[in-house]
mmCIF file of all heavy atoms in Angstrom:
data_model
loop_
_atom_site.group_PDB
_atom_site.id
_atom_site.type_symbol
_atom_site.label_atom_id
_atom_site.label_comp_id
_atom_site.label_asym_id
_atom_site.label_seq_id
_atom_site.Cartn_x
_atom_site.Cartn_y
_atom_site.Cartn_z
ATOM 1 N N ILE A 300 -15.394 3.204 46.904
ATOM 2 C CA ILE A 300 -15.814 2.895 48.283
ATOM 3 C C ILE A 300 -14.647 3.011 49.187
ATOM 4 O O ILE A 300 -13.579 2.375 48.998
ATOM 5 C CB ILE A 300 -16.409 1.454 48.330
ATOM 6 C CG1 ILE A 300 -17.464 1.356 47.300
ATOM 7 C CG2 ILE A 300 -16.885 1.208 49.745
ATOM 8 C CD1 ILE A 300 -18.218 0.021 47.348
ATOM 9 N N GLY A 301 -14.807 3.884 50.206
ATOM 10 C CA GLY A 301 -13.710 4.192 51.120
ATOM 11 C C GLY A 301 -13.057 5.491 50.706
ATOM 12 O O GLY A 301 -12.587 5.662 49.591
ATOM 13 N N ALA A 302 -13.114 6.478 51.610
ATOM 14 C CA ALA A 302 -12.528 7.814 51.333
ATOM 15 C C ALA A 302 -11.260 8.030 52.150
ATOM 16 O O ALA A 302 -11.015 9.064 52.666
ATOM 17 C CB ALA A 302 -13.562 8.900 51.587
ATOM 18 N N GLY A 303 -10.528 6.957 52.263
ATOM 19 C CA GLY A 303 -9.186 7.041 52.968
ATOM 20 C C GLY A 303 -8.073 7.478 52.074
ATOM 21 O O GLY A 303 -8.329 8.122 51.019
ATOM 22 N N THR A 304 -6.867 7.101 52.361
ATOM 23 C CA THR A 304 -5.687 7.458 51.555
ATOM 24 C C THR A 304 -5.877 7.118 50.109
ATOM 25 O O THR A 304 -5.682 7.973 49.209
ATOM 26 C CB THR A 304 -4.426 6.717 52.062
ATOM 27 O OG1 THR A 304 -4.381 6.844 53.469
ATOM 28 C CG2 THR A 304 -3.151 7.250 51.471
ATOM 29 N N MET A 305 -6.227 5.835 49.844
ATOM 30 C CA MET A 305 -6.313 5.443 48.451
ATOM 31 C C MET A 305 -7.569 5.863 47.743
ATOM 32 O O MET A 305 -7.562 6.342 46.594
ATOM 33 C CB MET A 305 -6.171 3.891 48.375
ATOM 34 C CG MET A 305 -4.855 3.347 48.839
ATOM 35 S SD MET A 305 -3.457 4.122 48.043
ATOM 36 C CE MET A 305 -3.523 3.481 46.381
ATOM 37 N N LEU A 323 -18.233 6.665 48.518
ATOM 38 C CA LEU A 323 -19.131 6.151 49.662
ATOM 39 C C LEU A 323 -18.218 5.830 50.859
ATOM 40 O O LEU A 323 -17.159 5.273 50.720
ATOM 41 C CB LEU A 323 -19.839 4.895 49.132
ATOM 42 C CG LEU A 323 -20.744 4.217 50.173
ATOM 43 C CD1 LEU A 323 -21.963 3.680 49.489
ATOM 44 C CD2 LEU A 323 -20.018 3.022 50.845
ATOM 45 N N GLU A 324 -18.772 6.220 52.027
ATOM 46 C CA GLU A 324 -18.140 5.869 53.327
ATOM 47 C C GLU A 324 -19.216 5.339 54.224
ATOM 48 O O GLU A 324 -20.428 5.461 53.891
ATOM 49 C CB GLU A 324 -17.459 7.065 53.940
ATOM 50 C CG GLU A 324 -16.001 7.211 53.648
ATOM 51 C CD GLU A 324 -15.060 6.326 54.474
ATOM 52 O OE1 GLU A 324 -15.529 5.780 55.442
ATOM 53 O OE2 GLU A 324 -13.895 6.202 54.099
ATOM 54 N N MET A 325 -18.829 4.768 55.360
ATOM 55 C CA MET A 325 -19.785 4.261 56.316
ATOM 56 C C MET A 325 -20.281 5.363 57.240
ATOM 57 O O MET A 325 -21.427 5.384 57.657
ATOM 58 C CB MET A 325 -19.126 3.188 57.210
ATOM 59 C CG MET A 325 -18.746 1.933 56.451
ATOM 60 S SD MET A 325 -20.139 1.087 55.796
ATOM 61 C CE MET A 325 -20.609 0.196 57.289
ATOM 62 N N ASN A 329 -16.025 10.406 58.317
ATOM 63 C CA ASN A 329 -15.012 9.927 57.427
ATOM 64 C C ASN A 329 -15.164 10.397 55.992
ATOM 65 O O ASN A 329 -14.250 10.739 55.257
ATOM 66 C CB ASN A 329 -14.965 8.389 57.420
ATOM 67 C CG ASN A 329 -14.508 7.829 58.725
ATOM 68 O OD1 ASN A 329 -14.024 8.582 59.576
ATOM 69 N ND2 ASN A 329 -14.740 6.588 58.963
ATOM 70 N N ARG A 332 -14.146 14.044 55.908
ATOM 71 C CA ARG A 332 -12.683 14.150 55.897
ATOM 72 C C ARG A 332 -12.090 13.832 54.528
ATOM 73 O O ARG A 332 -11.231 14.531 53.991
ATOM 74 C CB ARG A 332 -12.112 13.179 57.013
ATOM 75 C CG ARG A 332 -10.625 13.371 57.252
ATOM 76 C CD ARG A 332 -10.072 12.086 57.893
ATOM 77 N NE ARG A 332 -10.478 10.950 57.026
ATOM 78 C CZ ARG A 332 -10.681 9.750 57.538
ATOM 79 N NH1 ARG A 332 -10.668 9.472 58.809
ATOM 80 N NH2 ARG A 332 -11.020 8.720 56.686
ATOM 81 N N ALA A 380 -11.913 0.553 48.029
ATOM 82 C CA ALA A 380 -10.662 0.876 48.665
ATOM 83 C C ALA A 380 -10.867 0.965 50.178
ATOM 84 O O ALA A 380 -10.600 2.011 50.795
ATOM 85 C CB ALA A 380 -10.060 2.142 48.119
ATOM 86 N N VAL A 381 -11.452 -0.066 50.742
ATOM 87 C CA VAL A 381 -11.697 -0.090 52.220
ATOM 88 C C VAL A 381 -10.561 -0.828 52.901
ATOM 89 O O VAL A 381 -9.562 -1.183 52.259
ATOM 90 C CB VAL A 381 -13.048 -0.745 52.523
ATOM 91 C CG1 VAL A 381 -14.184 -0.022 51.817
ATOM 92 C CG2 VAL A 381 -13.080 -2.199 52.109
ATOM 93 N N PHE A 382 -10.735 -1.031 54.188
ATOM 94 C CA PHE A 382 -9.605 -1.701 54.973
ATOM 95 C C PHE A 382 -9.235 -3.051 54.313
ATOM 96 O O PHE A 382 -10.035 -3.712 53.759
ATOM 97 C CB PHE A 382 -10.045 -1.896 56.398
ATOM 98 C CG PHE A 382 -10.377 -0.675 57.174
ATOM 99 C CD1 PHE A 382 -11.476 -0.703 58.002
ATOM 100 C CD2 PHE A 382 -9.635 0.506 57.040
ATOM 101 C CE1 PHE A 382 -11.824 0.474 58.706
ATOM 102 C CE2 PHE A 382 -9.968 1.604 57.785
ATOM 103 C CZ PHE A 382 -11.112 1.615 58.570
ATOM 104 N N GLU A 383 -7.939 -3.347 54.528
ATOM 105 C CA GLU A 383 -7.341 -4.551 53.973
ATOM 106 C C GLU A 383 -7.730 -5.765 54.809
ATOM 107 O O GLU A 383 -6.874 -6.443 55.399
ATOM 108 C CB GLU A 383 -5.834 -4.384 53.777
ATOM 109 C CG GLU A 383 -5.124 -5.495 53.036
ATOM 110 C CD GLU A 383 -5.385 -5.449 51.539
ATOM 111 O OE1 GLU A 383 -6.362 -4.910 51.060
ATOM 112 O OE2 GLU A 383 -4.510 -6.053 50.795
ATOM 113 N N VAL A 387 -14.158 -7.410 55.718
ATOM 114 C CA VAL A 387 -14.722 -6.129 55.335
ATOM 115 C C VAL A 387 -15.009 -6.157 53.810
ATOM 116 O O VAL A 387 -16.038 -5.745 53.336
ATOM 117 C CB VAL A 387 -13.757 -4.994 55.673
ATOM 118 C CG1 VAL A 387 -14.359 -3.638 55.353
ATOM 119 C CG2 VAL A 387 -13.358 -5.057 57.152
ATOM 120 N N LYS A 388 -13.995 -6.707 53.053
ATOM 121 C CA LYS A 388 -14.193 -6.745 51.569
ATOM 122 C C LYS A 388 -15.388 -7.620 51.264
ATOM 123 O O LYS A 388 -16.141 -7.325 50.317
ATOM 124 C CB LYS A 388 -12.908 -7.319 50.919
ATOM 125 C CG LYS A 388 -11.600 -6.636 51.355
ATOM 126 C CD LYS A 388 -11.152 -5.608 50.370
ATOM 127 C CE LYS A 388 -9.762 -5.119 50.610
ATOM 128 N NZ LYS A 388 -9.440 -3.760 50.307
ATOM 129 N N VAL A 391 -18.548 -5.739 51.573
ATOM 130 C CA VAL A 391 -18.650 -4.723 50.483
ATOM 131 C C VAL A 391 -19.045 -5.360 49.187
ATOM 132 O O VAL A 391 -19.987 -4.910 48.494
ATOM 133 C CB VAL A 391 -17.306 -3.931 50.328
ATOM 134 C CG1 VAL A 391 -17.316 -3.124 49.066
ATOM 135 C CG2 VAL A 391 -17.052 -3.045 51.580
ATOM 136 N N ASN A 408 -9.063 -2.561 45.100
ATOM 137 C CA ASN A 408 -7.744 -1.982 45.162
ATOM 138 C C ASN A 408 -6.869 -2.819 46.140
ATOM 139 O O ASN A 408 -5.800 -2.286 46.542
ATOM 140 C CB ASN A 408 -7.845 -0.566 45.617
ATOM 141 C CG ASN A 408 -6.518 0.179 45.634
ATOM 142 O OD1 ASN A 408 -5.750 0.063 44.732
ATOM 143 N ND2 ASN A 408 -6.253 0.898 46.727
ATOM 144 N N THR A 409 -7.265 -4.000 46.476
ATOM 145 C CA THR A 409 -6.494 -4.802 47.436
ATOM 146 C C THR A 409 -5.003 -4.916 47.037
ATOM 147 O O THR A 409 -4.710 -5.016 45.835
ATOM 148 C CB THR A 409 -7.057 -6.181 47.666
ATOM 149 O OG1 THR A 409 -6.281 -6.840 48.636
ATOM 150 C CG2 THR A 409 -7.108 -7.020 46.406
ATOM 151 N N SER A 410 -4.080 -4.854 48.039
ATOM 152 C CA SER A 410 -2.661 -5.052 47.715
ATOM 153 C C SER A 410 -2.242 -6.495 47.932
ATOM 154 O O SER A 410 -1.195 -6.868 47.365
ATOM 155 C CB SER A 410 -1.799 -4.188 48.605
ATOM 156 O OG SER A 410 -2.347 -3.002 48.937
ATOM 157 N N HIS A 431 -5.103 -2.174 41.171
ATOM 158 C CA HIS A 431 -4.173 -1.864 42.316
ATOM 159 C C HIS A 431 -3.422 -0.590 41.991
ATOM 160 O O HIS A 431 -2.447 -0.574 41.226
ATOM 161 C CB HIS A 431 -3.196 -3.071 42.495
ATOM 162 C CG HIS A 431 -2.325 -2.914 43.670
ATOM 163 N ND1 HIS A 431 -1.002 -3.359 43.633
ATOM 164 C CD2 HIS A 431 -2.514 -2.342 44.852
ATOM 165 C CE1 HIS A 431 -0.475 -3.043 44.836
ATOM 166 N NE2 HIS A 431 -1.368 -2.452 45.558
ATOM 167 N N PHE A 432 -3.872 0.453 42.621
ATOM 168 C CA PHE A 432 -3.185 1.772 42.459
ATOM 169 C C PHE A 432 -2.036 1.867 43.487
ATOM 170 O O PHE A 432 -2.040 1.097 44.436
ATOM 171 C CB PHE A 432 -4.198 2.902 42.778
ATOM 172 C CG PHE A 432 -5.231 3.082 41.679
ATOM 173 C CD1 PHE A 432 -6.409 2.321 41.688
ATOM 174 C CD2 PHE A 432 -5.096 4.050 40.701
ATOM 175 C CE1 PHE A 432 -7.403 2.505 40.694
ATOM 176 C CE2 PHE A 432 -6.060 4.267 39.740
ATOM 177 C CZ PHE A 432 -7.220 3.456 39.751
ATOM 178 N N SER A 434 0.348 4.477 46.005
ATOM 179 C CA SER A 434 0.177 5.698 46.785
ATOM 180 C C SER A 434 1.251 6.734 46.466
ATOM 181 O O SER A 434 2.443 6.321 46.459
ATOM 182 C CB SER A 434 0.148 5.331 48.290
ATOM 183 O OG SER A 434 -0.102 6.456 49.046
HETATM 184 P P1 NAD B 1 -7.309 3.900 54.759
HETATM 185 O O1 NAD B 1 -7.424 3.268 56.121
HETATM 186 O O2 NAD B 1 -6.663 5.128 54.593
HETATM 187 O O3 NAD B 1 -8.794 4.061 54.162
HETATM 188 C C1 NAD B 1 -9.811 3.091 54.202
HETATM 189 C C2 NAD B 1 -11.111 3.809 54.246
HETATM 190 O O4 NAD B 1 -12.171 2.892 54.056
HETATM 191 C C3 NAD B 1 -11.398 4.504 55.578
HETATM 192 O O5 NAD B 1 -11.724 5.885 55.316
HETATM 193 C C4 NAD B 1 -12.565 3.791 56.186
HETATM 194 O O6 NAD B 1 -13.448 4.576 56.917
HETATM 195 C C5 NAD B 1 -13.230 3.249 54.908
HETATM 196 N N1 NAD B 1 -14.013 2.050 55.091
HETATM 197 C C6 NAD B 1 -13.722 0.968 55.885
HETATM 198 N N2 NAD B 1 -14.711 0.010 55.798
HETATM 199 C C7 NAD B 1 -15.630 0.530 54.968
HETATM 200 C C8 NAD B 1 -16.868 0.069 54.421
HETATM 201 N N3 NAD B 1 -17.298 -1.138 54.753
HETATM 202 N N4 NAD B 1 -17.507 0.847 53.546
HETATM 203 C C9 NAD B 1 -17.140 2.033 53.240
HETATM 204 N N5 NAD B 1 -15.937 2.572 53.688
HETATM 205 C C10 NAD B 1 -15.240 1.808 54.550
HETATM 206 O O7 NAD B 1 -6.730 2.727 53.930
HETATM 207 P P2 NAD B 1 -5.974 2.869 52.444
HETATM 208 O O8 NAD B 1 -4.531 3.001 52.731
HETATM 209 O O9 NAD B 1 -6.657 3.840 51.659
HETATM 210 O O10 NAD B 1 -6.167 1.424 51.864
HETATM 211 C C11 NAD B 1 -7.355 1.029 51.261
HETATM 212 C C12 NAD B 1 -7.127 -0.211 50.395
HETATM 213 O O11 NAD B 1 -6.134 0.076 49.400
HETATM 214 C C13 NAD B 1 -6.632 -1.431 51.153
HETATM 215 O O12 NAD B 1 -7.138 -2.567 50.514
HETATM 216 C C14 NAD B 1 -5.085 -1.350 50.894
HETATM 217 O O13 NAD B 1 -4.449 -2.618 50.926
HETATM 218 C C15 NAD B 1 -5.078 -0.845 49.467
HETATM 219 N N6 NAD B 1 -3.864 -0.131 49.119
HETATM 220 C C16 NAD B 1 -3.212 0.698 49.974
HETATM 221 C C17 NAD B 1 -2.031 1.377 49.541
HETATM 222 C C18 NAD B 1 -1.355 2.334 50.474
HETATM 223 O O14 NAD B 1 -0.191 2.655 50.199
HETATM 224 N N7 NAD B 1 -1.989 2.891 51.428
HETATM 225 C C19 NAD B 1 -1.531 1.117 48.270
HETATM 226 C C20 NAD B 1 -2.212 0.294 47.410
HETATM 227 C C21 NAD B 1 -3.384 -0.350 47.844
#
Side-chain angles (χ1 to χ4, degrees):
I300 306 186
T304 312
M305 296 307 289
L323 178 141
E324 266 280 347
M325 296 292 280
N329 294 346
R332 189 202 50 214
V381 302
F382 299 138
E383 187 73 339
V387 184
K388 307 263 191 211
V391 168
N408 183 45
T409 182
S410 322
H431 184 216
F432 289 84
S434 183

